[in-house]
Amino acid sequence: MITISPSILSADFSNLEQEIKALEQAGADMIHIDVMDGHFVPNLTFGPPVIKSLRKHTTLPFDVHLMIEQPEKHIKSYAEAGADLITIHPETTKHLNRTIEEIKNLGMKAGISLLPTTPTNILDYIIDDIDLILVMSVNPGFGGQSFIPSQLHKILKLAGMIAKNDILLAVDGGINKETASLCRDAGANMLISGSYIFQGDYKTQIKLLK
Ligand code: DX5
Ligand code: ZN
């Protein structure tokens, strides 16, 4: 079973209500929300108020990918806005364990995202406490970039590390029909996709990724 979490980074921002309803109709399992602060990544998107206003339009879980510095300052706001799962980058927080604990204490699932050059051993002492590992297969900040092939090796390695538990192993960036198949073969069980889903009929595109 593959979980598909479409990224609304490629959606029509002037019509997000219709976009997430259409994704739900099309068979999405979650909604991936890319939060960017213009500091950790060179782009700026949306924050808690937008997420809160979308919350009433779908029952799908909100998979919130925080690409922001010092996420610990904002975890509570995202919980209150309706996030179900929060993924953070280890480079953005001094006390990774504490920030993960905070996410879970607020009743949400917690994920850690690895940049293309972040080694897997950063997870050694926290892997049993998280619900999701997100492999960034592009440099974060923008949709529509090409998949970095070296990340397949990382997925394979992580799949071995998580063999014993039911952690989600997600891949984000440059996912299309071909790269989805390579990621599934390497052991990924969740795919995040923006531009590929939004370039066609959402239902057809989601089916092609599965
Ligand atoms: C990139 C984001 C991704 C992005 C993926 O920083 O984390 O979620 O939306 O877009 P595509 O699928 O177009 O690479
Ligand atoms: Zn993302």
Side-chain angles (χ1 to χ4, degrees):
M1 243 293 276
I2 277 268
T3 298
I4 303 287
S5 190
S7 164
I8 57 168
L9 188 60
S10 292
D12 175 359
F13 283 8
S14 71
N15 205 356
L16 284 176
E17 174 187 345
Q18 286 311 315
E19 293 279 52
I20 61 168
K21 284 181 176 163
L23 290 170
E24 182 165 9
Q25 288 282 315
D29 300 299
M30 296 186 190
I31 301 290
H32 186 82
I33 303 178
D34 286 304
V35 175
M36 305 186 184
D37 67 352
H39 292 276
F40 179 59
V41 291
N43 197 2
L44 196 65
T45 53
F46 22 62
V50 173
I51 296 173
K52 191 173 177 197
S53 65
L54 292 176
R55 186 61 287 182
K56 53 184 173 296
H57 298 302
T58 178
T59 55
L60 290 180
F62 278 173
D63 155 29
V64 177
H65 181 189
L66 292 185
M67 286 162 275
I68 64 174
E69 296 287 356
Q70 297 186 288
E72 63 277 5
K73 288 186 176 166
H74 307 282
I75 301 299
K76 200 157 171 261
S77 312
Y78 286 97
E80 287 167 359
D84 298 280
L85 188 161
I86 289 189
T87 298
I88 57 172
H89 284 259
E91 292 84 358
T92 60
T93 185
K94 281 198 177 118
H95 299 280
L96 184 57
N97 187 290
R98 180 183 286 149
T99 309
I100 290 294
E101 282 305 307
E102 192 181 346
I103 295 171
K104 296 196 329 188
N105 288 341
L106 287 166
M108 298 176 287
K109 291 193 168 166
I112 293 181
S113 177
L114 306 180
L115 294 173
T117 52
T118 305
T120 58
N121 64 10
I122 194 137
L123 299 170
D124 281 356
Y125 300 99
I126 195 142
I127 194 161
D128 293 334
D129 302 319
I130 57 177
D131 304 287
L132 173 143
I133 301 168
L134 187 160
V135 174
M136 280 302 317
S137 41
V138 296
N139 287 297
F142 304 95
Q145 304 179 82
S146 301
F147 186 90
I148 301 172
S150 63
Q151 300 310 299
L152 285 171
H153 179 69
K154 189 187 276 180
I155 298 163
L156 208 60
K157 194 166 172 186
L158 289 166
M161 284 167 71
I162 67 169
K164 287 176 275 24
N165 38 33
D166 62 351
I167 296 180
L168 284 166
L169 179 51
V171 190
D172 185 7
I175 296 297
N176 55 35
K177 190 162 82 80
E178 287 75 31
T179 54
S181 153
L182 296 171
C183 292
R184 287 196 314 265
D185 289 349
N189 55 20
M190 173 167 165
L191 298 170
I192 294 154
S193 174
S195 51
Y196 182 74
I197 290 178
F198 284 91
Q199 82 191 14
D201 170 65
Y202 303 168
K203 193 173 182 175
T204 310
Q205 301 299 95
I206 288 174
K207 220 179 245 164
L208 288 169
L209 292 180
K210 292 199 171 192

